[in-house]
Amino acid sequence: MSRRSVSLTVAAALVVVPLTVAVLGPFLPYDDAGGGLPYSSEGPLGTDGLGRDVLSLLLVGGRTALGMAFGAVALAYLVGGLIGLTAASTRHRWVDEGLMRPLDVLLPLPSLLVISVVAVGWQASAPAITVAVAMVNVPTVARLVRAAALDAASGPVVEALRMQRESWFVIQLGYVGRSVLGPAAADLGTRITLAVFLVASVNFLGLGLSPTAPDWAVSVSRNREGLLLQPWSVLAPALLLVSFTLGFNLLADRLVHRSRRLVEVAR
């Protein structure tokens, strides 16, 4: 097995383990007795500061830790992608300016500040954090999509499709959108990793979900004082977060590199 295949396998394993725990964990028939002593050795991984079984928290905490990040990136690409495609394909400069300039105002704003304000204002709910993380990613996604789609949107193929009276969605999603797939795929690894980092940071700082939520980042924040008493209450959720972000970034980088090589060979 080549070195590249080994690195790809390792990256995939780093992603699959926490992703499997997050997706299948809530459905596993694990019997948690509960009501243990704080930071004890009861159970496979001991208990946390509230006497809750650490393993049971890991099995249910990934839904918010990773679910909010994936939801935020999907929403950011939905909103930012439509804005970018519209700005790239419009024939009126004022439409382009009207769509992109307001987003430029959001770019310099600190991400954690925006997310914290939204999370506090909406009572730290998971949908609020998801929308806030998506909102801070929309400007960069829109700029990326617009830049990637400009050449295709102003090319002769689009003009021919317009003369055939094809709908806007057929032109943009059927033809122009394909020119965005490469840059979007390259950006996806970094975007999801950043979203996981932002969600975890907000929850770790106590500005996101409730301090008693089973979220992985919340568990790290709440139990860090008992690190020496029961290290798994902190290390286990932290390792899952680090494993996913590191593995996903490596996996996305390898897949994008491989797709570029396939395109060059095809040419």
Side-chain angles (χ1 to χ4, degrees):
M1 185 178 291
S2 65
R3 182 179 299 179
R4 291 179 178 176
S5 299
V6 172
S7 63
L8 187 61
T9 302
V10 172
L14 290 174
V15 173
V16 168
V17 172
L19 192 60
T20 301
V21 174
V23 174
L24 300 181
F27 305 101
L28 294 178
Y30 175 69
D31 185 16
D32 171 25
L37 296 175
Y39 301 126
S40 71
S41 58
E42 301 176 14
L45 298 178
T47 61
D48 71 345
L50 296 178
R52 300 175 298 180
D53 185 76
V54 172
L55 180 57
S56 66
L57 295 178
L58 291 179
L59 294 178
V60 299
R63 290 182 299 180
T64 53
L66 301 184
M68 289 189 294
F70 277 105
V73 172
L75 183 60
Y77 265 96
L78 177 63
V79 177
L82 288 176
I83 292 175
L85 286 176
T86 303
S89 61
T90 184
R91 297 181 176 182
H92 306 286
R93 184 175 179 81
W94 64 270
V95 175
D96 185 12
E97 295 287 334
L99 289 173
M100 301 305 298
R101 292 299 164 259
L103 298 181
D104 292 341
V105 178
L106 296 176
L107 278 175
L109 296 179
S111 301
L112 283 178
L113 176 61
V114 175
I115 298 172
S116 301
V117 170
V118 174
V120 171
W122 288 0
Q123 300 180 350
S125 64
I129 299 174
T130 301
V131 172
V133 174
M135 184 170 62
V136 300
N137 281 281
V138 164
T140 51
V141 170
R143 291 170 67 91
L144 171 71
V145 172
R146 178 183 178 276
L150 272 176
D151 289 341
S154 58
V157 176
V158 171
E159 294 297 329
L161 291 174
R162 285 173 176 167
M163 294 179 63
Q164 295 176 9
R165 299 185 180 276
E166 295 287 353
S167 67
W168 185 90
F169 287 98
V170 170
I171 296 175
Q172 301 305 319
L173 302 182
Y175 174 71
V176 178
R178 286 183 292 179
S179 63
V180 182
L181 293 180
D187 175 71
L188 198 59
T190 304
R191 190 72 50 194
I192 291 181
T193 302
L194 176 62
V196 173
F197 169 77
L198 288 175
V199 171
S201 298
V202 172
N203 289 333
F204 178 82
L205 295 174
L207 302 173
L209 299 176
S210 168
T212 60
D215 180 85
W216 293 343
V218 174
S219 296
V220 174
S221 175
R222 184 175 183 84
N223 299 310
R224 66 185 186 274
E225 296 179 354
L227 178 61
L228 298 180
L229 298 174
Q230 181 47 266
W232 285 118
S233 63
V234 177
L235 294 180
L239 286 174
L240 288 174
L241 285 171
V242 172
S243 174
F244 178 83
T245 54
L246 177 61
F248 195 90
N249 209 12
L250 291 174
L251 185 62
D253 182 66
R254 297 304 306 169
L255 292 178
V256 169
H257 180 71
R258 178 170 292 186
S259 65
R260 287 177 178 174
R261 291 189 62 187
L262 291 176
V263 170
E264 292 176 359
V265 171
R267 290 178 179 176

